[in-house]
Amino acid sequence: MTQDAARALRAFVAEREWAQFHSAENLAKSISIEAGELLQCFQWGSEADPDEVAAELADVLTYCLLLADRLEMDVEQIVLDKLAVTATKYPVEKSRGRSDRYTEL
Amino acid sequence: MTQDAARALRAFVAEREWAQFHSAENLAKSISIEAGELLQCFQWGSEADPDEVAAELADVLTYCLLLADRLEMDVEQIVLDKLAVTATKYPVEKSRGRSDRYTEL
Amino acid sequence: MTQDAARALRAFVAEREWAQFHSAENLAKSISIEAGELLQCFQWGSEADPDEVAAELADVLTYCLLLADRLEMDVEQIVLDKLAVTATKYPVEKSRGRSDRYTEL
Amino acid sequence: MTQDAARALRAFVAEREWAQFHSAENLAKSISIEAGELLQCFQWGSEADPDEVAAELADVLTYCLLLADRLEMDVEQIVLDKLAVTATKYPVEKSRGRSDRYTEL
């Protein structure tokens, strides 16, 4: 994320004095809760209202940013770090065009 | 996100020809699955290994970025747009220091 | 559930002295975590290995039974009670053959 | 479950012609969605309204029963079968009073 969203979220939380509720555990619960609401857009099929998806995806991202902020993690960095790990588990030649887990490649 | 992570993810997916598996519905399922793995870091208590949390949070973020990319949404923008909506539901004076839902403020 | 499974679970937990970890909150987290593992069987498509589905569904049910036990709720009764509520929200004539939420019927 | 709840659910679904929406995949998504709503009762703390917990737990159980029914699985049996597997992973003497995963015992 650019710092804009993170900064806006920090200000939003600060003026409401909500940091007291944002333990890492509560934020992890919140990410699961919002992920369920996002999934609800697809509960009975593959088609979903783009506006609803955007609003629910935003909620998941918001709690992810708050958790990263709480744990002083750089979202950009952890995504790139994990991608490097995943790349070693899924070599291009073995995983191309396959959705199998690396344990079954 | 800055475009670096999004660009790296796009290249990672492209060389593995995985876009075919990344329907919006499958990505929404993946976000819930990874959110559950993140929550597992806190299953029995509030303390968690920061490295494990970073790795699981990265997985949630990765699928969020892929879903935004799939639906051509700007993650920065949808987070800020949703924040504006939430701000109207949770006026500072009514929500300060309270974790109640806006329906109970 | 017949009391067999509930009784077997109680004995299993008791001899391991695990009740101390089974707060209602921890069990609710565990249900979400296991629900994510069940969903993983269907991450990339609608086909899944029945044995894997049975094992993951069993984990979700196990934590549901432990939570009901913890809160002294009769699973049979709460399911029937909720069904009565749902029946009033989804009258047969309005909901037949439709997957819409009751708010949109 | 005794057959009462399963039978009541079957009748409820049949008169609404909802079986067409109840693919195993859609029911697995539904279990995750409802597990998130149950977790929401504990989003900001360990205390929750018992009536809300009962209603949300009932929803998780309902979709679990529908999935078991769909796949012709006996919920009682799969819970007991899984318990036998878990018992071998968590021998009493090694796991007593510990919440560690079997891989760390």
Side-chain angles (χ1 to χ4, degrees):
Chain A
M1 287 279 172
T2 66
Q3 291 312 304
D4 296 9
R7 215 179 291 106
L9 285 174
R10 248 181 246 117
F12 182 89
V13 170
E15 60 186 358
R16 285 165 183 73
E17 298 172 14
W18 281 355
Q20 62 186 304
F21 307 119
H22 292 173
S23 64
E25 180 184 11
N26 286 353
L27 292 171
K29 282 183 280 177
S30 300
I31 290 168
S32 267
I33 293 163
E34 297 299 339
E37 293 187 13
L38 171 61
L39 187 60
Q40 194 165 26
C41 297
F42 300 92
Q43 185 169 14
W44 304 119
S46 58
E47 294 311 306
D49 176 324
D51 293 340
E52 286 180 22
V53 172
E56 298 303 342
L57 177 56
D59 286 337
V60 178
L61 280 162
T62 294
Y63 282 118
C64 285
L65 290 175
L66 290 172
L67 178 55
D69 210 46
R70 173 80 189 200
L71 301 177
E72 296 176 318
M73 294 172 177
D74 177 332
V75 291
E76 189 79 13
Q77 197 54 57
I78 61 175
V79 168
L80 292 172
D81 290 347
K82 186 58 182 278
L83 191 61
V85 174
T86 309
T88 63
K89 284 185 178 174
Y90 294 90
V92 171
E93 57 283 0
K94 291 177 78 178
S95 57
R96 186 183 291 110
R98 301 178 56 183
S99 62
D100 307 278
R101 308 201 86 188
Y102 67 95
T103 48
E104 284 148 28
L105 289 175
Chain B
M1 287 278 171
T2 67
Q3 291 312 303
D4 296 9
R7 216 178 291 105
L9 285 174
R10 249 180 247 118
F12 182 89
V13 169
E15 60 185 357
R16 284 164 184 75
E17 298 171 14
W18 280 356
Q20 62 186 305
F21 307 119
H22 292 175
S23 64
E25 180 184 10
N26 287 352
L27 292 171
K29 282 184 279 177
S30 300
I31 290 168
S32 267
I33 292 164
E34 297 299 339
E37 294 187 13
L38 171 60
L39 187 60
Q40 194 165 28
C41 297
F42 301 93
Q43 185 169 14
W44 304 118
S46 57
E47 294 312 304
D49 176 325
D51 293 340
E52 286 178 23
V53 173
E56 299 303 342
L57 177 57
D59 287 337
V60 178
L61 280 161
T62 294
Y63 282 119
C64 286
L65 290 175
L66 290 172
L67 179 55
D69 210 46
R70 173 81 188 198
L71 300 178
E72 296 176 316
M73 295 173 176
D74 176 332
V75 291
E76 189 80 13
Q77 197 53 59
I78 62 175
V79 168
L80 292 172
D81 290 346
K82 185 60 182 277
L83 191 62
V85 174
T86 308
T88 63
K89 285 185 178 173
Y90 294 91
V92 172
E93 58 283 359
K94 291 177 77 178
S95 58
R96 186 184 290 109
R98 301 178 56 183
S99 63
D100 307 277
R101 306 202 88 189
Y102 67 96
T103 48
E104 284 148 28
L105 290 175
Chain C
M1 287 277 172
T2 65
Q3 290 313 304
D4 297 8
R7 216 180 290 104
L9 285 174
R10 250 182 245 115
F12 182 88
V13 170
E15 60 186 357
R16 286 166 182 73
E17 298 170 13
W18 280 356
Q20 63 187 304
F21 306 120
H22 292 175
S23 64
E25 180 184 11
N26 286 353
L27 292 170
K29 282 183 280 178
S30 300
I31 290 168
S32 268
I33 293 164
E34 297 300 340
E37 293 187 14
L38 171 60
L39 187 60
Q40 194 164 26
C41 297
F42 300 92
Q43 185 169 14
W44 304 119
S46 58
E47 294 312 305
D49 177 324
D51 293 340
E52 286 178 24
V53 173
E56 298 302 342
L57 177 56
D59 286 337
V60 178
L61 280 161
T62 294
Y63 282 118
C64 286
L65 291 174
L66 290 172
L67 179 56
D69 210 47
R70 173 81 189 198
L71 300 177
E72 296 177 317
M73 294 172 177
D74 176 333
V75 291
E76 190 79 14
Q77 197 53 58
I78 61 174
V79 167
L80 292 172
D81 290 346
K82 185 59 182 278
L83 190 62
V85 174
T86 308
T88 63
K89 285 185 179 174
Y90 294 90
V92 172
E93 57 285 356
K94 289 176 77 178
S95 57
R96 186 184 290 111
R98 301 178 57 183
S99 62
D100 307 275
R101 308 202 86 189
Y102 68 96
T103 47
E104 283 148 29
L105 290 175
Chain D
M1 287 279 171
T2 67
Q3 291 313 303
D4 296 9
R7 213 179 290 106
L9 285 174
R10 248 181 247 116
F12 182 89
V13 170
E15 60 185 357
R16 284 164 184 75
E17 299 171 13
W18 280 356
Q20 62 186 305
F21 306 119
H22 292 175
S23 64
E25 180 184 10
N26 287 353
L27 292 171
K29 282 184 280 178
S30 301
I31 290 168
S32 267
I33 293 164
E34 297 299 340
E37 293 187 14
L38 171 61
L39 187 60
Q40 194 164 27
C41 298
F42 300 92
Q43 184 169 13
W44 305 119
S46 57
E47 294 312 305
D49 176 325
D51 293 340
E52 285 179 23
V53 173
E56 298 302 342
L57 177 56
D59 287 337
V60 178
L61 280 162
T62 294
Y63 281 119
C64 286
L65 290 174
L66 290 172
L67 179 54
D69 210 46
R70 172 80 188 200
L71 300 178
E72 297 177 316
M73 295 173 175
D74 177 332
V75 290
E76 189 80 13
Q77 197 53 58
I78 61 175
V79 168
L80 291 171
D81 290 348
K82 185 59 182 277
L83 191 61
V85 174
T86 308
T88 63
K89 285 185 178 173
Y90 293 90
V92 172
E93 58 283 359
K94 291 177 76 177
S95 57
R96 186 184 290 109
R98 301 178 56 182
S99 62
D100 308 276
R101 307 201 86 189
Y102 67 96
T103 47
E104 284 147 30
L105 290 176

